[in-house]
């Protein structure tokens, strides 16, 4: 499956992406705001095993984020913890190639995957958490239409201290209304 925009192409992930994921997992600047699974070093074998099973999880959709110009894998994103009963899920993104940071790619990918969640998966709500100490991510989510819902105080532990996480979400009705008004 491919979703293509001016800047990025989203595609399925597979075991051939292991080298990029391993390199990203070894760079603490890349993983500092990521899931806890990146808090500890992972072997190339662990990453390959994870990638070989990633597309078989009904509660998660994951896409490789590639540069449209070069086709190079620069990150991944998707929706996890999908509840078919509640029609909701949790958005995630990692731009692993630092040379693509600050170019609006996070906002663009967030918009494309959010639209996919609502208009293909039929979700009603997509939520996320972002470290309060990561203003670039928060700005990207705001630019993509996510609204602040609150703060989870001291819910993350990074660099030897507890830090707050900002809770954000967007609802299908708000998303479709915003598309109509554009």
């Amino acid at each position: 499956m491919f979703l293509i925009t001016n800047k990025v192409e989203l595609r399925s992930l597979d075991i051939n992406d292991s080298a990029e994921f391993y390199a990203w997992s070894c760079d603490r600047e890349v993983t500092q705001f990521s899931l806890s699974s990146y808090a500890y070093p992972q072997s190339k074998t662990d990453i390959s095993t994870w990638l070989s099973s990633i597309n078989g999880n009904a509660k998660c959709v994951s896409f490789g984020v590639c540069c449209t110009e070069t086709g190079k894998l620069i990150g991944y994103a998707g929706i996890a913890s999908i509840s078919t009963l509640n029609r909701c899920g949790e958005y995630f993104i990692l731009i692993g190639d630092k040379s693509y940071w600050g170019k609006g790619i996070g906002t663009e990918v967030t918009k494309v995957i959010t639209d996919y969640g609502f208009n293909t998966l039929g979700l009603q709500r997509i939520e996320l958490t972002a470290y309060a100490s990561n203003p670039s991510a928060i700005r990207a989510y705001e630019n993509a239409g996510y609204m602040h819902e609150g703060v989870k105080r001291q819910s993350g532990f990074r660099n030897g201290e507890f830090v707050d996480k900002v809770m954000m979400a967007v609802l299908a009705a708000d998303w479709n209304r915003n598309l109509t008004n554009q």
Side-chain angles (χ1 to χ4, degrees):
M1 172 189 328
F2 288 89
L3 301 170
I4 301 171
T5 72
N6 293 341
K7 296 180 183 181
V8 295
E9 183 177 296
L10 303 181
R11 63 160 173 83
S12 298
L13 292 167
D14 63 43
I15 197 165
N16 296 320
D17 298 319
S18 296
E20 289 90 345
F21 274 85
Y22 181 74
W24 302 335
S25 73
C26 293
D27 187 334
R28 288 296 162 231
E29 188 178 11
V30 169
T31 62
Q32 67 181 322
F33 299 116
S34 295
L35 299 173
S36 298
S37 59
Y38 284 117
Y40 306 102
Q42 296 181 11
S43 70
K44 290 179 184 177
T45 302
D46 290 342
I47 290 171
S48 294
T49 300
W50 172 70
L51 283 170
S52 68
S53 66
I54 196 165
N55 295 320
N57 185 346
K59 293 187 178 201
C60 182
V61 292
S62 299
F63 298 97
V65 177
C66 299
C67 174
T68 300
E69 289 180 10
T70 64
K72 178 183 179 185
L73 182 69
I74 61 171
Y76 83 114
I79 302 172
S81 304
I82 295 172
S83 169
T84 53
L85 175 65
N86 297 313
R87 293 180 44 209
C88 65
E90 184 174 356
Y91 177 74
F92 65 89
I93 185 171
L94 174 87
I95 303 300
D97 187 326
K98 294 186 282 191
S99 66
Y100 290 88
W101 289 4
K103 298 181 188 257
I105 289 174
T107 298
E108 189 158 332
V109 170
T110 302
K111 287 179 178 179
V112 170
I113 292 179
T114 301
D115 191 71
Y116 178 83
F118 290 135
N119 294 312
T120 301
L121 299 179
L123 299 179
Q124 161 61 22
R125 172 187 169 84
I126 302 174
E127 58 190 35
L128 61 85
T129 59
Y131 283 91
S133 56
N134 189 359
S136 297
I138 294 168
R139 192 168 35 262
Y141 303 139
E142 290 168 341
N143 291 340
Y146 282 72
M147 305 291 293
H148 289 257
E149 292 192 327
V151 174
K152 294 173 69 173
R153 298 180 315 131
Q154 298 184 6
S155 63
F157 188 75
R158 291 294 187 271
N159 301 318
E161 64 182 10
F162 289 98
V163 292
D164 296 347
K165 289 184 183 178
V166 176
M167 298 182 307
M168 301 175 78
V170 62
L171 304 177
D174 296 333
W175 183 258
N176 290 324
R177 187 171 32 256
N178 288 340
L179 288 180
T180 303
N181 293 334
Q182 291 181 1

Short mmCIF file of all heavy atoms in Angstrom, two decimals, residues 157-178:
data_model
loop_
_atom_site.label_atom_id
_atom_site.label_comp_id
_atom_site.label_asym_id
_atom_site.label_seq_id
_atom_site.Cartn_x
_atom_site.Cartn_y
_atom_site.Cartn_z
N PHE A 157 9.93 9.23 32.03
CA PHE A 157 11.22 9.35 32.70
C PHE A 157 12.30 9.39 31.64
O PHE A 157 12.54 8.41 30.94
CB PHE A 157 11.44 8.16 33.65
CG PHE A 157 12.66 8.32 34.52
CD1 PHE A 157 12.64 9.19 35.60
CD2 PHE A 157 13.81 7.59 34.25
CE1 PHE A 157 13.76 9.33 36.42
CE2 PHE A 157 14.93 7.72 35.06
CZ PHE A 157 14.91 8.60 36.14
N ARG A 158 12.94 10.54 31.48
CA ARG A 158 13.99 10.71 30.49
C ARG A 158 15.13 11.52 31.09
O ARG A 158 14.90 12.47 31.84
CB ARG A 158 13.49 11.44 29.23
CG ARG A 158 12.50 10.65 28.38
CD ARG A 158 13.19 9.43 27.76
NE ARG A 158 12.36 8.74 26.82
CZ ARG A 158 11.52 7.77 27.11
NH1 ARG A 158 11.33 7.41 28.36
NH2 ARG A 158 10.84 7.16 26.18
N ASN A 159 16.34 11.14 30.75
CA ASN A 159 17.54 11.86 31.18
C ASN A 159 17.58 12.09 32.69
O ASN A 159 17.94 13.16 33.16
CB ASN A 159 17.66 13.18 30.43
CG ASN A 159 17.72 12.97 28.93
OD1 ASN A 159 18.40 12.06 28.46
ND2 ASN A 159 17.00 13.79 28.19
N GLY A 160 17.16 11.09 33.45
CA GLY A 160 17.27 11.14 34.90
C GLY A 160 16.20 11.94 35.61
O GLY A 160 16.31 12.18 36.81
N GLU A 161 15.13 12.34 34.89
CA GLU A 161 14.07 13.10 35.56
C GLU A 161 12.70 12.75 34.98
O GLU A 161 12.59 12.29 33.86
CB GLU A 161 14.33 14.60 35.46
CG GLU A 161 14.31 15.15 34.07
CD GLU A 161 14.62 16.64 34.01
OE1 GLU A 161 15.04 17.21 35.02
OE2 GLU A 161 14.43 17.22 32.93
N PHE A 162 11.68 12.99 35.79
CA PHE A 162 10.31 12.78 35.34
C PHE A 162 9.85 14.01 34.58
O PHE A 162 10.11 15.14 34.98
CB PHE A 162 9.39 12.51 36.54
CG PHE A 162 9.63 11.18 37.17
CD1 PHE A 162 10.42 11.06 38.30
CD2 PHE A 162 9.09 10.03 36.60
CE1 PHE A 162 10.65 9.82 38.87
CE2 PHE A 162 9.32 8.79 37.16
CZ PHE A 162 10.10 8.68 38.31
N VAL A 163 9.17 13.77 33.46
CA VAL A 163 8.70 14.87 32.63
C VAL A 163 7.23 14.69 32.29
O VAL A 163 6.71 13.58 32.27
CB VAL A 163 9.53 15.01 31.33
CG1 VAL A 163 10.95 15.47 31.62
CG2 VAL A 163 9.55 13.70 30.57
N ASP A 164 6.56 15.82 32.03
CA ASP A 164 5.14 15.81 31.67
C ASP A 164 4.96 15.39 30.22
O ASP A 164 5.83 15.60 29.38
CB ASP A 164 4.54 17.21 31.85
CG ASP A 164 4.54 17.69 33.29
OD1 ASP A 164 4.77 16.87 34.21
OD2 ASP A 164 4.30 18.89 33.49
N LYS A 165 3.78 14.84 29.96
CA LYS A 165 3.36 14.55 28.59
C LYS A 165 2.07 15.32 28.31
O LYS A 165 1.18 15.37 29.15
CB LYS A 165 3.13 13.06 28.38
CG LYS A 165 4.39 12.23 28.37
CD LYS A 165 4.04 10.79 28.06
CE LYS A 165 5.25 9.89 28.12
NZ LYS A 165 4.88 8.49 27.86
N VAL A 166 1.99 15.87 27.13
CA VAL A 166 0.81 16.59 26.68
C VAL A 166 -0.10 15.59 25.98
O VAL A 166 0.35 14.83 25.11
CB VAL A 166 1.20 17.73 25.71
CG1 VAL A 166 -0.03 18.43 25.16
CG2 VAL A 166 2.14 18.72 26.40
N MET A 167 -1.37 15.59 26.36
CA MET A 167 -2.36 14.73 25.71
C MET A 167 -3.07 15.55 24.64
O MET A 167 -3.53 16.66 24.90
CB MET A 167 -3.38 14.20 26.72
CG MET A 167 -2.76 13.35 27.81
SD MET A 167 -3.95 12.67 28.99
CE MET A 167 -4.83 14.12 29.53
N MET A 168 -3.17 14.97 23.43
CA MET A 168 -3.81 15.65 22.31
C MET A 168 -4.67 14.63 21.58
O MET A 168 -4.41 13.42 21.64
CB MET A 168 -2.77 16.24 21.37
CG MET A 168 -1.84 17.24 22.04
SD MET A 168 -0.52 17.84 20.96
CE MET A 168 -1.44 19.04 19.99
N ALA A 169 -5.68 15.13 20.86
CA ALA A 169 -6.55 14.23 20.08
C ALA A 169 -7.29 15.03 19.02
O ALA A 169 -7.35 16.26 19.06
CB ALA A 169 -7.56 13.53 21.00
N VAL A 170 -7.84 14.29 18.08
CA VAL A 170 -8.73 14.87 17.06
C VAL A 170 -9.86 13.87 16.85
O VAL A 170 -9.65 12.65 16.92
CB VAL A 170 -7.96 15.20 15.76
CG1 VAL A 170 -7.38 13.97 15.12
CG2 VAL A 170 -8.83 15.97 14.78
N LEU A 171 -11.05 14.39 16.63
CA LEU A 171 -12.23 13.57 16.39
C LEU A 171 -12.58 13.59 14.91
O LEU A 171 -12.32 14.58 14.21
CB LEU A 171 -13.42 14.08 17.20
CG LEU A 171 -13.23 14.18 18.71
CD1 LEU A 171 -14.47 14.76 19.37
CD2 LEU A 171 -12.88 12.82 19.30
N ALA A 172 -13.23 12.53 14.43
CA ALA A 172 -13.58 12.42 13.02
C ALA A 172 -14.43 13.59 12.56
O ALA A 172 -14.20 14.14 11.48
CB ALA A 172 -14.30 11.10 12.76
N ALA A 173 -15.41 13.99 13.35
CA ALA A 173 -16.29 15.10 12.95
C ALA A 173 -15.50 16.40 12.78
O ALA A 173 -15.72 17.14 11.82
CB ALA A 173 -17.41 15.28 13.97
N ASP A 174 -14.57 16.67 13.71
CA ASP A 174 -13.75 17.87 13.60
C ASP A 174 -12.84 17.78 12.37
O ASP A 174 -12.64 18.77 11.66
CB ASP A 174 -12.89 18.06 14.85
CG ASP A 174 -13.74 18.30 16.09
OD1 ASP A 174 -14.87 18.81 15.96
OD2 ASP A 174 -13.25 17.97 17.19
N TRP A 175 -12.28 16.62 12.14
CA TRP A 175 -11.38 16.42 11.01
C TRP A 175 -12.10 16.68 9.68
O TRP A 175 -11.64 17.43 8.85
CB TRP A 175 -10.82 15.00 11.04
CG TRP A 175 -9.84 14.72 9.95
CD1 TRP A 175 -10.08 14.04 8.78
CD2 TRP A 175 -8.47 15.11 9.92
NE1 TRP A 175 -8.94 13.98 8.04
CE2 TRP A 175 -7.94 14.64 8.71
CE3 TRP A 175 -7.65 15.81 10.79
CZ2 TRP A 175 -6.61 14.85 8.34
CZ3 TRP A 175 -6.33 16.03 10.44
CH2 TRP A 175 -5.82 15.54 9.23
N ASN A 176 -13.26 16.05 9.54
CA ASN A 176 -14.01 16.20 8.29
C ASN A 176 -14.54 17.61 8.12
O ASN A 176 -14.60 18.12 7.01
CB ASN A 176 -15.13 15.16 8.22
CG ASN A 176 -14.55 13.76 8.04
OD1 ASN A 176 -13.55 13.56 7.36
ND2 ASN A 176 -15.17 12.79 8.68
N ARG A 177 -14.90 18.28 9.21
CA ARG A 177 -15.35 19.68 9.15
C ARG A 177 -14.20 20.58 8.70
O ARG A 177 -14.38 21.46 7.87
CB ARG A 177 -15.91 20.10 10.51
CG ARG A 177 -16.55 21.46 10.49
CD ARG A 177 -17.31 21.82 11.79
NE ARG A 177 -16.78 21.27 13.02
CZ ARG A 177 -17.33 20.24 13.68
NH1 ARG A 177 -18.39 19.64 13.21
NH2 ARG A 177 -16.79 19.81 14.80
N ASN A 178 -13.01 20.33 9.22
CA ASN A 178 -11.85 21.12 8.82
C ASN A 178 -11.50 20.91 7.35
O ASN A 178 -11.11 21.84 6.67
CB ASN A 178 -10.62 20.79 9.70
CG ASN A 178 -10.77 21.35 11.10
OD1 ASN A 178 -11.55 22.26 11.34
ND2 ASN A 178 -10.02 20.79 12.02
#
